[in-house]
Amino acid sequence: MKVVAPLLLAVMWTFPSQEVGDSAKAELAYRNNCMICHGPALEGGFGPALSHVGSRKTKAQIVRQIQNGGVLMPAFRTQLDAGTIQVLAEWLFAKK
C-alpha cells in the first residue's frame, strides 16, 4: 500500500487539472473538424477568422453556431457530442 500512495500522487501531479485535458480535447476537435475552413492558427480562410471570436460572441452563441451551423458552415450537432461542443466553445470563447 505504501507504494500506491506515491504513485497516485505522481499521477495527480502529472495531470494537475481537468482544464489541461479540456484544452487538449478542444484543440483536437478543432483540428479534426474546424481547421480546414478556419485555418490552423484560427486565422480564417474559407471560413471567418476565429482568433478573437470570444470578443465577438458569447459562449452560448458559439455553442449554437457549432450545433446548428450557419450560412456556409455545416451543423456539427450529430458529429460532435454535447460535451465536446461545450469544451470547444469554451476554448474558442477564451480567444479574445
Side-chain angles (χ1 to χ4, degrees), residues 11 17-18 22 31 37-38 52-53 70 78 80 92-93:
V11 170
S17 73
Q18 182 63 29
D22 286 350
R31 193 171 45 243
C37 292
H38 296 285
H52 300 288
V53 69
T78 58
L80 300 174
L92 287 168
F93 180 67

Side-chain angles (χ1 to χ4, degrees), residues 10-78:
V11 170
M12 289 170 57
W13 284 327
T14 304
F15 303 102
S17 73
Q18 182 63 29
E19 205 171 290
V20 171
D22 286 350
S23 180
K25 184 176 180 180
E27 289 179 34
L28 180 62
Y30 179 84
R31 193 171 45 243
N32 290 336
N33 298 281
C34 314
M35 186 172 72
I36 192 162
C37 292
H38 296 285
L42 297 98
E43 74 277 10
F46 181 75
L50 299 176
S51 54
H52 300 288
V53 69
S55 63
R56 297 188 315 266
K57 293 184 179 254
T58 67
K59 182 182 169 200
Q61 289 172 320
I62 295 169
V63 167
R64 281 192 300 275
Q65 184 80 43
I66 295 168
Q67 289 173 331
N68 302 324
V71 176
L72 296 174
M73 179 178 160
F76 284 91
R77 78 172 78 78
T78 58

